[in-house]
């Protein structure tokens, strides 16, 4: 009797060690259940010719195509090592033609089998030779209609062939044979969906969905299966998040309400402007959460420059009013110093509590970073443990064991995507009771991504810019096609400086043979980086801060005060440069992306981004938000040497066309695929979302969140739903935990 594997059985027993090793190493598939969830990417029909026209965008990728042989020629050639044979086969599918090449002893079998008019499935790596696309030595599987009668032949021609995500060592049709070996185990799969939910939504049982996704008879089968499998992914993920929200809601917290006539009222009375309607609405949501006896868990996402820091500061002051302390965690020293400087300036004498000349209603605001001198650090730690300091702004240094608080009431995490949740939780664990949590991001996140990645947090959105903000004009500068455009860009920088303003020039790397983290380019990591940078043909390495600064001071910006800023400078030097730039002494700052977030110099009106095509859409939007923060209009110039018809230039054109961060984040997500946005690379690794597309499947995600919330409220431990528990445990292994937490 044929061996039917168990769902969690290692694939070695069923498929043999060699195949199992390739599946594990290349595709992350270890068990029968993993293989059942390795879904076909698409389906080809034997009677249909699949598109060769799309291969131009897939150079160096492994592809599978179904096509017909147009002609085959066996050629003899003379090489440096003597003569040999080469078989050139041209295949067509109606949309285009593609050449296949076989060499040496490998020509005999395909010469016999790939006859003009025959049809086959071909798999290989798309390459270029003499400016033409080709597959060299592709694997192939003939699709000969060996059916004897016409009906059988028609059925054979209309059969749907699953095309699986494959790799160089294992073609799609070999993966299909592996799936055939484990398909009987689909009968053993435990269905995670509650039966009532499945019936209400008209979803097929899981066993049926797995059979239909791998071996569909009709296109309707594929739709049924996809609809069901998307629901599984969305629902199990939302149950995990709903359980976290439920557990958080059970924790005790100290309600924090501002004192009448206290610190917050004194601060508000000093403000020289009125809060925007959006800031007022979001502040109310936050203050309502702070007043409850379980911890706030809120995500505050706002457009670049929408005034998130002001909202966060007012929440922090409310907590200090109530006798607690508030900590703000920033991802970089530059940003922590910037926040500390701007908060103390905004608070004035209220930031000098207990000091000579300070307000009696004030508090102390301390900075804590890893590079501080010993005496300053010792004083900061003392101020925190005694409660003298109500507010602390710091980097990862805040998380260290030595740091203790008198009564930590609120943690504000700036730029959440830079931190793992274990860092977030390490800081929260310093409270006597769980403190309230406010997570901020200036990267606008489409609603469905927020529900998928930050689903354990309630969301507030600030999409209104404060009055007095100026518009930012963005233009693409095609440096290679039109070098005079770049010359004009430097003239514009000079004009802005002569009019009393300042400028940023941003470059992708530092430029002394090391990366931002201080890893030498001579090391393996550096070599890998260099190879990656130059893999696309003869493309030069990315432009560097140190080289560009030197070129500008000697050339187009000679005579202007130009300084550099990057992540590997000594912290005191970084702070000095930022202070002088903020004060207007430095006119042009040539920097890496250390200035991406939070840096606020209202007098800066122009930004030139070199090699702009090497940055992501959201990152460009972040960078651009550093200009136009005062009353003068902003200008952002995206310099690129990429060809006008390239996808990179299309991306830059999209950034130039809109200032709407939410629109750009959608574009970014569509281009980068969910995997990257959800913190899970998709280069052959299993993505946690195999079927669900977070942009397209908004309706499924929304409904799944509602159902999950209802199910968890009724049965938090899922005692009545063992199938769902099993699916949840599988999702929340170590890898999934990290994915869920880090977002």
């Amino acid at each position: 009797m044929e061996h039917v594997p168990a769902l969690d059985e290692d694939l070695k027993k069923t498929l043999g060690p060699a195949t199992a090793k390739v599946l594990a190493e290349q595709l992350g598939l270890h068990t029968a259940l993993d293989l059942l969830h390795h879904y076909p990417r698409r389906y080809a029909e034997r009677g249909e010719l699949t598109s060769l026209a799309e291969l131009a965008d897939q150079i160096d990728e492994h592809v599978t195509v179904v096509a017909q042989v147009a002609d085959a020629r066996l050629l003899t050639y003379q090489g440096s090592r003597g003569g040999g044979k080469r078989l050139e086969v041209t295949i067509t599918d109606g949309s285009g033609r593609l050449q296949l090449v076989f060499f040496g002893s490998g020509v005999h079998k395909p010469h016999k089998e790939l006859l003009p008019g025959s049809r086959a499935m071909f798999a290989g790596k798309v390459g270029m030779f003499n400016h033409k696309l080709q597959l060299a030595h592709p694997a192939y599987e003939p699709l000969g209609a060996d059916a004897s009668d016409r009906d059988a032949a028609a059925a054979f021609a209309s059969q749907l062939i699953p095309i699986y995500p494959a790799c160089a060592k294992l073609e799609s049709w070999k993966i299909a044979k592996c799936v055939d070996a484990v398909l009987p185990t689909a009968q053993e799969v435990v269905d995670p969906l509650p039966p009532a939910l499945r019936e209400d939504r008209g979803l097929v049982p899981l066993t049926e969905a797995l059979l239909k996704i791998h071996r569909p008879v009709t296109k309707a089968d594929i739709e049924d299966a996809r609809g069901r499998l998307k629901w599984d992914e969305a629902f199990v993920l939302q149950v995990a998040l709903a359980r976290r929200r439920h557990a958080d809601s059970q924790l005790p917290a100290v309600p924090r309400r501002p004192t009448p006539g206290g610190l917050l009222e004194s601060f508000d009375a000093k403000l020289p402007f009125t809060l925007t309607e959006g800031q007022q609405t979001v502040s109310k949501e936050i203050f309502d959460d702070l007043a409850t006896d379980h911890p706030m868990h809120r995500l505050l996402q706002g457009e670049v420059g929408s005034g998130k820091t002001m909202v966060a500061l007012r929440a922090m002051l409310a907590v200090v009013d109530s006798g607690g302390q508030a900590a703000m965690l920033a991802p970089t020293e530059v940003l922590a110093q910037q926040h500390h400087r701007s908060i103390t300036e905004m608070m004035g004498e209220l930031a000098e509590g207990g000091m000579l000349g300070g307000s009696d209603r004030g508090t102390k605001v301390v900075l804590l970073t890893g590079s501080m001198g010993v005496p300053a650090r010792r004083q900061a730690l003392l101020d925190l443990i005694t409660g003298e300091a109500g507010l602390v702004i710091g980097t990862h240094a805040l998380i260290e064991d030595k740091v203790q608080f008198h009564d930590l009431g609120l943690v504000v995490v700036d730029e959440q995507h830079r931190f793992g949740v274990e860092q977030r939780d390490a800081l929260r664990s310093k409270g006597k009771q769980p403190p309230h949590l406010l997570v901020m991001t200036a990267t606008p996140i489409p609603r469905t991504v927020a529900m998928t990645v930050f689903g354990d947090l309630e969301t507030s959105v600030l999409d209104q810019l404060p009055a007095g903000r100026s518009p930012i004009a963005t233009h693409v500068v095609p440096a290679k096609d039109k070098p005079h455009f770049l010359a004009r860009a430097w003239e514009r920088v000079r004009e802005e400086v002569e009019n009393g303003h300042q400028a940023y020039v941003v470059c992708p790397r530092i430029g002394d043979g090391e990366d931002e983290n201080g890893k030498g380019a001579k090391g393996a990591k550096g070599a890998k980086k260099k190879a990656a940078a130059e893999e696309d043909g003869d493309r030069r390495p990315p432009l560097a801060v140190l080289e560009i600064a030197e070129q500008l001071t000697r050339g187009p910006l000679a005579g202007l005060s130009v300084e550099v800023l990057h992540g590997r400078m000594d912290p005191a030097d970084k702070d000095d440069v930022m202070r002088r730039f903020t004060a207007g002494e430095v006119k042009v700052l040539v920097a890496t992306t250390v200035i991406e977030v939070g840096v606020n110099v209202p007098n800066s009106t122009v930004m030139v981004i070199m090699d702009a095509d090497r940055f992501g859409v959201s990152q460009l939007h972040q960078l651009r938000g550093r200009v136009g923060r005062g009353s003068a209009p902003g200008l952002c110039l995206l310099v690129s040497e990429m060809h006008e018809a390239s996808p990179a230039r299309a991306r830059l054109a999209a950034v130039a066309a809109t200032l709407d961060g939410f629109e750009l984040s959608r574009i970014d997500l569509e281009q980068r695929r969910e995997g990257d946005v959800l913190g899970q690379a998709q280069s052959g690794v299993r993505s946690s979302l195999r079927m669900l597309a977070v942009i397209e499947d908004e309706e499924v995600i929304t409904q799944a969140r509602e159902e999950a919330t209802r199910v968890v409220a009724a049965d938090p431990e899922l005692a009545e739903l063992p199938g769902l528990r099993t699916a949840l445990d599988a999702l929340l292994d170590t890898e999934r935990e990290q994915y869920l937490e880090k977002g």
Side-chain angles (χ1 to χ4, degrees):
M1 193 180 147
E2 198 180 327
H3 171 68
V4 176
L7 284 169
D8 57 357
E9 188 177 286
D10 193 296
L11 289 170
K12 282 180 200 153
K13 285 190 183 173
T14 320
L15 306 174
T19 303
K21 188 179 180 199
V22 175
L23 286 169
E25 289 178 359
Q26 301 287 316
L27 297 167
L29 306 173
H30 303 273
T31 65
L33 188 62
D34 290 345
L35 196 46
L36 286 175
H37 286 302
H38 186 69
Y39 307 132
R41 179 177 282 149
R42 61 186 177 86
Y43 301 84
E45 290 180 65
R46 283 196 165 100
E48 159 208 275
L49 295 173
T50 53
S51 173
L52 294 177
E54 295 165 13
L55 293 187
D57 296 332
Q58 298 183 49
I59 291 172
D60 283 346
E61 286 192 25
H62 288 277
V63 298
T64 304
V65 295
V66 177
Q68 188 169 326
V69 177
D71 64 62
R73 295 183 300 156
L74 189 61
L75 308 169
T76 304
Y77 64 89
Q78 289 297 321
S80 57
R81 299 182 183 176
K85 286 190 164 42
R86 183 169 86 237
L87 177 66
E88 291 182 356
V89 178
T90 305
I91 59 173
T92 178
D93 68 350
S95 76
R97 295 165 82 83
L98 179 67
Q99 190 175 61
L100 317 178
V101 190
F102 301 87
F103 294 99
S105 58
V107 302
H108 305 301
K109 189 167 177 274
H111 189 216
K112 276 191 247 168
E113 293 180 339
L114 298 178
L115 302 172
S118 64
R119 185 173 284 148
M121 246 195 310
F122 302 92
K125 191 175 181 181
V126 182
M128 286 287 272
F129 183 71
N130 284 343
H131 305 294
K132 282 187 178 169
L133 292 173
Q134 71 166 29
L135 296 184
H137 279 288
Y140 65 90
E141 179 94 332
L143 300 174
D146 53 0
S148 52
D149 65 85
R150 192 170 294 168
D151 289 346
F156 180 88
S158 64
Q159 187 179 336
L160 293 158
I161 305 166
I163 307 290
Y164 287 92
C167 59
K169 294 181 181 174
L170 210 60
E171 294 86 12
S172 171
W173 54 85
K174 289 183 183 167
I175 292 173
K177 286 173 183 167
C178 296
V179 170
D180 282 338
V182 301
L183 210 49
T185 63
Q187 303 295 341
E188 311 300 316
V189 171
V190 180
D191 198 322
L193 293 192
L197 188 157
R198 204 176 66 227
E199 284 156 26
D200 288 351
R201 302 277 171 189
L203 300 168
V204 299
L206 181 55
T207 295
E208 188 182 325
L210 289 170
L211 294 172
K212 283 181 169 178
I213 200 77
H214 289 292
R215 299 295 172 262
V217 177
T218 64
K219 289 183 178 174
D221 285 351
I222 300 169
E223 287 313 302
D224 282 353
R226 280 187 172 151
R228 164 62 213 250
L229 295 168
K230 282 181 178 187
W231 249 96
D232 275 25
E233 287 180 8
F235 182 68
V236 175
L237 181 55
Q238 291 301 336
V239 166
L241 294 165
R243 290 188 76 214
R244 184 167 307 135
R245 287 196 303 275
H246 182 270
D248 285 340
S249 73
Q250 303 305 300
L251 294 171
V254 178
R256 307 284 182 175
R257 297 183 184 87
T259 314
L263 181 58
L264 179 62
E265 275 190 22
S266 303
F267 175 75
D268 284 350
K270 279 168 53 70
L271 284 181
F273 53 81
T274 312
L275 295 179
T276 65
E277 199 178 319
Q279 285 175 316
Q280 290 174 24
T281 304
V282 169
S283 290
K284 184 180 185 311
E285 290 170 352
I286 292 170
F287 288 159
D288 287 350
D289 283 358
L290 290 174
T292 61
D293 55 10
H294 57 84
M296 166 172 79
H297 288 90
R298 191 167 282 280
L299 169 69
L300 171 57
Q301 53 167 322
E303 269 293 11
V304 178
S306 57
K308 291 181 301 301
T309 309
M310 173 59 70
V311 168
L313 175 56
R314 293 184 71 250
M316 291 165 83
L317 295 177
V319 169
V320 175
D321 251 356
S322 72
Q325 291 168 294
M328 181 184 273
L329 184 60
T332 64
E333 292 211 351
V334 167
L335 190 50
Q337 288 162 344
Q338 172 83 28
H339 276 319
H340 181 255
R341 195 178 306 124
S342 60
I343 283 172
T344 48
E345 280 169 12
M346 282 194 280
M347 287 176 65
E349 75 278 3
L350 295 173
E352 297 167 357
M355 293 152 78
L356 197 63
S359 165
D360 53 359
R361 285 185 189 152
T363 188
K364 209 167 181 182
V365 181
V366 300
L367 175 68
L368 190 65
T369 65
S371 64
M372 284 169 70
V374 175
R377 187 181 176 76
R378 195 176 287 138
Q379 185 60 52
L381 293 173
L382 185 65
D383 287 342
L384 288 177
I385 198 164
T386 59
E388 187 82 12
L391 300 184
V392 58
I393 293 106
T395 55
H396 296 76
L398 281 175
I399 297 165
E400 291 168 12
D401 291 343
K402 289 179 196 160
V403 181
Q404 293 180 358
F405 290 83
H406 178 66
D407 180 14
L408 181 61
L410 171 65
V411 172
V412 178
V413 181
D414 194 20
E415 287 310 307
Q416 155 67 15
H417 64 280
R418 307 278 187 97
F419 294 100
V421 97
E422 57 282 359
Q423 294 163 317
R424 193 169 97 178
D425 282 353
L427 183 52
R428 285 174 62 198
S429 68
K430 293 179 181 290
K432 290 171 184 167
Q433 280 196 319
H436 299 279
L437 175 71
L438 179 64
V439 167
M440 299 198 295
T441 176
T443 306
I445 304 165
R447 181 168 162 267
T448 44
V449 181
M451 282 195 291
T452 311
V453 181
F454 299 108
D456 58 335
L457 303 168
E458 298 300 325
T459 305
S460 294
V461 178
L462 265 181
D463 51 10
Q464 193 183 4
L465 294 184
R469 275 294 158 88
S470 304
I472 305 170
T474 309
H475 302 285
V476 179
V477 177
K480 208 168 194 173
D481 310 346
K482 299 178 180 171
H484 60 287
F485 275 38
L486 183 57
R488 176 69 190 122
W490 300 128
E491 284 173 16
R492 284 291 293 112
V493 170
R494 196 173 262 288
E495 286 164 14
E496 287 297 312
V497 171
E498 283 165 1
N499 286 333
H501 298 300
Q502 290 159 275
Y504 296 101
V505 178
V506 181
C507 302
R509 67 188 183 99
I510 299 169
D512 55 0
E514 296 194 22
D515 66 21
E516 248 336 83
N517 303 313
K519 303 279 192 302
K522 292 189 175 114
K525 193 169 173 185
K528 213 170 182 182
K529 243 183 181 179
K530 198 171 177 195
E534 290 163 13
E535 70 186 352
D536 38 14
D538 302 323
R539 202 171 173 197
R540 57 161 174 71
L543 292 172
V545 165
L546 301 177
E547 293 153 19
I548 291 294
E550 192 178 341
Q551 287 170 23
L552 292 176
T553 47
R554 287 182 177 178
L557 302 185
L560 299 183
S561 163
V562 177
E563 292 270 8
V564 300
L565 182 73
H566 56 75
R568 242 189 22 263
M569 285 166 63
D570 180 87
D573 293 343
K574 276 192 282 197
D575 196 36
D576 178 57
V577 170
M578 272 315 298
R579 274 183 195 284
R580 288 187 294 116
F581 187 62
T582 306
E585 295 163 27
V586 173
K587 300 302 179 188
V588 180
L589 191 62
V590 184
T592 57
T593 53
V594 291
I595 58 138
E596 178 187 346
V597 179
V599 172
N600 182 25
V601 181
N603 192 43
S604 301
T605 53
V606 60
M607 175 177 284
V608 182
I609 304 179
M610 307 302 291
D611 278 348
D613 48 88
R614 295 184 189 253
F615 297 96
V617 169
S618 292
Q619 199 172 27
L620 290 170
H621 182 58
Q622 288 292 315
L623 287 165
R624 168 172 65 184
R626 302 303 106 213
V627 296
R629 300 176 77 86
S631 54
L635 173 65
C636 180
L637 302 173
L638 307 174
V639 180
S640 172
E641 292 186 0
M642 296 302 279
H643 189 269
E644 192 170 2
S646 65
R649 279 283 294 276
R651 218 169 54 232
L652 297 183
V655 175
T658 180
L659 290 169
D660 182 340
F662 286 92
E663 175 58 29
L664 288 174
S665 70
R666 285 186 83 90
I667 294 168
D668 197 18
L669 186 54
E670 281 158 8
Q671 288 175 341
R672 292 199 295 158
R673 305 181 189 152
E674 285 85 11
D676 306 332
V677 175
L678 303 182
Q680 180 82 3
Q682 285 198 320
S683 50
V685 187
R686 278 184 303 155
S687 164
S688 50
L689 301 184
R690 299 175 181 87
M691 192 61 79
L692 196 71
V694 292
I695 284 287
E696 292 157 30
D697 298 319
E698 180 163 352
E699 198 176 329
V700 174
I701 293 169
T702 307
Q703 291 171 359
R705 183 178 166 102
E706 288 165 8
E707 291 280 10
T709 305
R710 198 172 50 72
V711 165
V712 170
D715 180 9
E717 295 305 311
L718 309 178
E720 304 295 313
L721 299 165
L724 181 53
R725 265 236 73 118
T726 306
L728 203 59
D729 292 342
L731 177 78
L732 297 179
D733 60 22
T734 317
E735 184 185 338
R736 293 282 72 75
E737 270 289 8
Q738 287 176 347
Y739 149 72
L740 270 176
E741 298 284 30
K742 286 194 171 123

